Amino acid sequence: MKKSFPPRIEIPVEQTWDLSPLIASDEAFFAGIAEVEQDALAFNQKYAGNITDAEAVVQVLTDYEQLYVKFVPYSAYASLSFEVDKTNDEAQMRASKFGSVASKVGSQLSFVDSDISALSTEILEEATAIAPQFKNYIHQIIKKKAYQLHPEVEKTLAALSSSFDAPYELYNTTKLVDMKFDNFTANGESFPLNYSLFEGDWELETDVNIRRAAFEAFSNKLREYQHTTAKTYNTHVTTEKTLSDLRGYESVTDYLLFDQEVDRTLYNRQIDLITTELAPHMRRYAKLLQKVHNLDKMTFADLKISLDPEFEPMITVEESKNYIEKALSVMGEDYMEMIEKSYSERWIDFAQNEGKSTGAFCSSPYGYHPYILISWTSRMNEVFVLAHELGHAGHFVNAHKKQSLFNSRPSTYFIEAPSTMNEMLMANYLLETATDARFKRWVISSIISRTYYHNFVTHLLEAAYQRKVYDKIDAGESVNANVLNRIKRDVLEDFWGDAVEITEGAELTWMRQPHYYMGLYPYTYSAGLTISTQVSHRILNEGQPAVDNWLEVLQAGGTKTPVELAGMAGVDITTDQPLLDTISFIGDLIEQLEALTAEIETSVK
């Protein structure tokens, strides 16, 4: 029987990441943030009101960037030490203290953009000629001129930044600290339950009685917190609406898309085309799962199961390294050196412990190596998850090597392309090594259930739901639990049609995703995977030239727009074609699954 997770203190150190390269001790942390706070005050006194010409713009941005670089390790340390154990009082207090200091520092530094924005465009263009490394930053300020508020208002908003982040922190506290799950019963046995156990194990459980009982128990617990969580989320989205109105954007959607450097055309395309064009393929996949597992009906609780669970191998952390290295070796020696260091230098937190954040992520503090959080379940699909996060790591190792801090981070529209690229490279490698029908079916089903289901279905349906929420907020409405439940159920029923029964509790899925507190983030997963699918096909067909192009894209960091970055990799995302080609590819994979299943069933008979 699966067990509940131990407290963090009982986890072997080799399963945890090593944060000491960031900050050596708590004493160093508190001394350091106090020093940065003083540096910010001195910076304000030196430059506020004194940015009058191009040379001054260059000087202030030079010192501004250096100050931010100095702040990076403290931000990362406060966040990462809290993410692995949200029940730890010291970590909570440390994160809270950092948030307070960050708000003060942000308030002291808010004048930079305000004062630079007040200068003429001619002066700002002159500054870019003097210091081309600040061209992107300055051009962003020029574009934002129309939305810049009075300097004192900007200072006040910066001082309130930790308050604006409060809904996200409240959501995580409710989810990871206050929400305690009782054991559930199935087949006459009692089983433990928490967020990570449900999403990492019970959703994938092969026994239909256990799986559906876990879903019901999980949903019942979520329902107890739905009104508090909805109120928290409503606070978040109405705050975004207030800020968008204050700045003069036509809508909160336009406000959130502005920094992504894309317009509504690209945003709506991802949601509309996938909802209509991908749905028929995924309904066929759901029917195939139902047939293979001989289910009386296909419910929402059954969608994450493996097509061939008995064939899926279990894998250790040590074994995962071999798969990762072989699959990603096409990326070259430098990339392989990064992979080696990620294991040997403890960049990755593999532990399963109480209070740890769910899911997986990669944090890449500028000037330091990346950090990856994952809760290792020993299932083979974790190799895809780890390859994904190492894609983020490889992206920023390359970008940080070639770009300054202000030029290192691309638009969030593009941010998931390097991560999903690694999933595609893993899929390519596994398909190349497929030796029989059953193994090939397992590989293709893993691509569908892990890579495409997660990024093209789960996150895309989150995006469709999110768009409906923001439409209401733009119309001057607010949302509560009943409204959110109805929206989510409508989105799920629209996509799955009569192929899947959207059972009681499925509508509460909106409560599980932290991405809703990160702007218009969910749709970017399918956007990134659209790009990476096309580039991975180029790598298969063209080899090294396509790899070289991709490495150049990674190294470009944030110096190009998403359209330009995709173009560098040979993909034109201004048209429907890349997305339609990707959806067609998914359809082809599902057809292969159907054919392989028929072949396997015939051979068994």
Side-chain angles (χ1 to χ4, degrees):
M1 185 182 78
K2 299 178 179 71
K3 298 179 180 179
S4 298
F5 294 152
R8 181 74 177 180
I9 195 172
E10 295 180 9
I11 298 296
V13 67
E14 62 269 17
Q15 295 181 21
T16 68
W17 54 27
D18 177 14
L19 299 182
S20 62
L22 292 169
I23 303 293
S25 65
D26 276 4
E27 291 75 15
F29 171 81
F30 288 110
I33 60 173
E35 183 178 325
V36 172
E37 189 174 358
Q38 291 303 309
D39 289 347
L41 178 61
F43 179 90
N44 178 285
Q45 293 171 344
K46 179 179 180 180
Y47 288 114
N50 297 322
I51 310 174
T52 56
D53 55 30
E55 288 79 7
V57 170
V58 172
Q59 187 57 57
V60 73
L61 288 181
T62 300
D63 289 354
Y64 186 46
E65 188 171 51
Q66 290 175 354
L67 186 55
Y68 259 96
V69 168
K70 186 175 181 179
F71 206 35
V72 163
Y74 304 103
S75 173
Y77 184 77
S79 171
L80 296 176
S81 60
F82 186 44
E83 292 288 352
V84 292
D85 187 4
K86 292 183 180 291
T87 67
N88 184 297
D89 288 343
E90 290 182 5
Q92 287 182 23
M93 294 302 101
R94 189 188 305 117
S96 178
K97 176 63 176 178
F98 176 82
S100 175
V101 171
S103 294
K104 293 178 183 177
V105 169
S107 180
Q108 291 291 347
L109 302 181
S110 65
F111 75 90
V112 174
D113 285 4
S114 296
D115 286 10
I116 292 176
S117 180
L119 299 176
S120 69
T121 300
E122 290 73 21
I123 290 177
L124 297 184
E125 291 292 359
E126 183 184 345
T128 67
I130 297 171
Q133 70 269 28
F134 296 127
K135 179 180 177 180
N136 292 317
Y137 191 94
I138 291 172
H139 280 178
Q140 285 297 315
I141 289 178
I142 292 173
K143 286 195 291 185
K144 285 184 177 179
K145 271 178 173 283
Y147 307 110
Q148 193 76 14
L149 301 175
H150 187 279
E152 287 302 314
V153 177
E154 294 288 355
K155 183 176 182 179
T156 301
L157 291 176
L160 290 170
S161 60
S162 62
S163 298
F164 295 148
D165 291 338
Y168 177 60
E169 296 305 327
L170 286 171
Y171 165 79
N172 274 326
T173 300
T174 302
K175 172 181 175 180
L176 299 171
V177 180
D178 287 343
M179 198 178 291
K180 302 297 183 185
F181 293 83
D182 297 325
N183 285 11
F184 69 95
T185 302
N187 298 336
E189 290 187 66
S190 178
F191 300 91
L193 182 64
N194 60 36
Y195 247 98
S196 293
L197 275 174
F198 178 74
E199 295 184 341
D201 284 294
W202 298 130
E203 273 194 308
L204 313 175
E205 171 62 45
T206 57
D207 186 307
V208 63
N209 295 324
I210 297 175
R211 183 175 65 250
R212 290 178 180 176
F215 180 84
E216 182 180 4
F218 183 75
S219 299
N220 288 341
K221 180 56 65 174
L222 290 184
R223 193 174 289 107
E224 292 177 14
Y225 290 84
Q226 62 178 321
H227 298 295
T228 299
T229 307
K231 191 67 176 179
T232 300
Y233 182 49
N234 185 67
T235 300
H236 173 73
V237 294
T238 54
T239 298
E240 289 178 320
K241 175 60 176 172
T242 299
L243 291 172
S244 70
D245 287 346
L246 281 173
R247 294 192 179 282
Y249 288 90
E250 289 187 15
S251 70
V252 68
T253 300
D254 292 314
Y255 165 63
L256 295 172
L257 285 175
F258 186 89
D259 285 338
Q260 292 187 11
E261 299 181 273
V262 296
D263 59 27
R264 281 175 176 257
T265 304
L266 273 69
Y267 169 64
N268 288 327
R269 176 190 292 126
Q270 290 299 129
I271 299 173
D272 294 336
L273 279 183
I274 293 176
T275 300
T276 56
E277 301 296 325
L278 181 62
H281 297 305
M282 295 308 300
R283 290 170 189 173
R284 277 174 39 224
Y285 176 69
K287 289 292 188 183
L288 181 61
L289 283 176
Q290 182 180 358
K291 176 187 174 185
V292 169
H293 285 270
N294 195 29
L295 298 175
D296 58 332
K297 57 184 177 180
M298 191 67 185
T299 77
F300 187 78
D302 303 318
L303 284 169
K304 296 291 184 72
I305 54 178
S306 172
L307 188 62
D308 192 354
E310 294 179 2
F311 193 76
E312 181 172 3
M314 302 301 280
I315 186 170
T316 65
V317 167
E318 292 73 22
E319 290 168 336
S320 73
K321 184 170 179 284
N322 180 52
Y323 279 97
I324 293 284
E325 288 178 338
K326 288 180 177 178
L328 304 184
S329 61
V330 66
M331 295 298 292
E333 291 183 9
D334 288 348
Y335 208 95
M336 287 301 96
E337 182 182 351
M338 179 206 73
I339 299 295
E340 172 61 36
K341 287 182 177 180
S342 71
Y343 282 86
S344 64
E345 296 181 0
R346 290 173 49 213
W347 298 7
I348 309 168
D349 198 276
F350 293 100
Q352 288 187 310
N353 62 264
E354 199 65 40
K356 183 176 179 178
S357 287
T358 59
F361 67 74
C362 176
S363 174
S364 299
Y366 189 85
Y368 299 83
H369 66 66
Y371 286 89
I372 292 171
L373 179 143
I374 186 173
S375 294
W376 194 258
T377 64
S378 297
R379 295 178 183 269
M380 184 65 183
N381 67 359
E382 297 286 17
V383 176
F384 281 93
V385 180
L386 186 51
H388 178 106
E389 300 307 336
L390 285 166
H392 286 305
H395 184 189
F396 287 105
V397 164
N398 274 277
H400 292 173
K401 190 182 299 181
K402 295 291 184 178
Q403 306 295 340
S404 64
L405 173 64
F406 288 162
N407 285 337
S408 64
R409 190 171 184 84
S411 157
T412 53
Y413 182 94
F414 187 82
I415 210 75
E416 295 298 338
S419 54
T420 54
M421 167 61 82
N422 276 15
E423 293 191 56
M424 295 309 300
L425 294 178
M426 176 60 67
N428 290 347
Y429 166 72
L430 291 174
L431 282 174
E432 287 173 3
T433 61
T435 55
D436 60 42
R438 195 173 181 193
F439 182 73
K440 186 175 183 180
R441 184 178 71 162
W442 174 80
V443 173
I444 294 174
S445 67
S446 295
I447 298 168
I448 293 294
S449 63
R450 162 57 219 170
T451 299
Y452 284 109
Y453 189 99
H454 186 66
N455 298 297
F456 256 68
V457 180
T458 298
H459 289 317
L460 194 282
L461 294 184
E462 290 163 359
Y465 153 87
Q466 190 180 39
R467 184 170 64 175
K468 289 178 181 291
V469 170
Y470 282 123
D471 284 347
K472 286 187 172 294
I473 298 302
D474 270 327
E477 302 176 34
S478 58
V479 292
N480 61 20
N482 292 331
V483 171
L484 296 175
N485 289 341
R486 185 169 61 251
I487 292 174
K488 189 63 180 180
R489 175 170 286 277
D490 288 346
V491 166
L492 293 173
E493 290 178 343
D494 182 49
F495 185 83
W496 290 110
D498 60 4
V500 178
E501 180 180 309
I502 308 302
T503 44
E504 190 71 23
E507 72 281 356
L508 297 168
T509 308
W510 63 268
M511 294 178 64
R512 294 165 54 183
Q513 184 52 265
H515 289 158
Y516 299 137
Y517 298 84
M518 303 174 187
L520 298 177
Y521 193 24
Y523 91 102
T524 65
Y525 281 87
S526 64
L529 184 52
T530 300
I531 296 168
S532 61
T533 297
Q534 300 308 308
V535 178
S536 70
H537 291 166
R538 278 196 63 208
I539 290 175
L540 275 177
N541 296 325
E542 301 173 30
Q544 196 59 47
V547 173
D548 292 341
N549 284 164
W550 188 242
L551 288 171
E552 289 173 3
V553 170
L554 301 185
Q555 292 164 4
T559 61
K560 308 286 184 182
T561 67
V563 170
E564 291 169 336
L565 289 170
M568 288 174 64
V571 183
D572 183 2
I573 58 173
T574 65
T575 72
D576 292 357
Q577 203 58 50
L579 181 52
L580 290 174
D581 287 346
T582 300
I583 292 171
S584 177
F585 175 65
I586 297 171
D588 289 343
L589 290 176
I590 293 172
E591 284 184 8
Q592 290 183 56
L593 286 181
E594 291 170 332
L596 286 165
T597 297
E599 178 185 339
I600 292 166
E601 289 176 347
T602 300
S603 66
V604 170
K605 292 176 183 178

